[in-house]
Amino acid sequence: LEDIDKAANEKSHWRVQRVRKIAVVLTTVAIIAALAGLLGSGPISTTYARNPANSLAVEYPRFLRMDAPFVMTIDAAAPASGNNLEISFDVDYLRSFEVESISPEPAGSRIGQGLTTYVFESQGGRSMIRFGMRPHTFGSVTGRMQTRDSEGISLRHFIYP
């Protein structure tokens, strides 16, 4: 009878040890992910993309929280034609966000051909434009942005509920 109790006690002790080891591993993985930026700010939370001609670049967060504001910073070269700078986003992409602010203020905007286009007065050289946005959906969101004179850039976010 004592051997049966001893064997049952050892089996129970082994289970507890195994659960404890799994908990330690999962906690460690969660801490590393949080520190890296998977759950907020950190080295992998922000991404930077540019087109091959370096005429358009964007810095934006990869990971967002639904209803939490963020800023997308765009660096765009002045158009070769000397006209106004036009930055366009896929309409489907912008449906996932509320654009709360744009700095500097655009001179105008329009929707057409599946794009929402913001028009800015060109000052020559490069322009820095900041879009204050707020996601109102969750999950994976992808889209493209472009200027009239440049290749587009793919945008990709994961939005936590």
Side-chain angles (χ1 to χ4, degrees), residues 11-145:
K11 193 173 187 179
S12 176
H13 178 72
W14 180 80
R15 283 185 187 154
V16 168
Q17 289 299 329
R18 183 173 178 156
V19 168
R20 185 176 292 154
K21 286 180 183 179
I22 290 170
V24 166
V25 168
L26 291 176
T27 302
T28 302
V29 168
I31 289 170
I32 290 170
L35 290 174
L38 188 61
L39 304 175
S41 61
I44 66 169
S45 66
T46 301
T47 189
Y48 182 81
R50 73 176 84 210
N51 66 1
N54 197 27
S55 60
L56 180 63
V58 61
E59 182 177 354
Y60 65 95
R62 285 185 182 126
F63 305 105
L64 303 167
R65 289 191 179 89
M66 189 168 78
D67 293 325
F70 72 97
V71 174
M72 175 184 293
T73 303
I74 299 167
D75 177 11
S81 62
N83 293 332
N84 290 331
L85 173 63
E86 296 183 0
I87 296 178
S88 301
F89 295 90
D90 293 340
V91 169
D92 291 336
Y93 172 78
L94 283 184
R95 281 191 186 119
S96 299
F97 302 97
E98 178 182 338
V99 177
E100 295 183 329
S101 65
I102 304 173
S103 178
E105 191 80 22
S109 64
R110 65 178 180 276
I111 298 174
Q113 300 177 3
L115 299 171
T116 299
T117 302
Y118 297 93
V119 181
F120 299 89
E121 292 180 13
S122 179
Q123 306 298 321
R126 298 191 74 84
S127 297
M128 289 290 256
I129 301 164
R130 289 178 179 78
F131 282 77
M133 301 168 79
R134 182 181 300 265
H136 52 78
T137 186
F138 61 90
S140 182
V141 174
T142 59
R144 289 186 63 76
M145 64 171 287

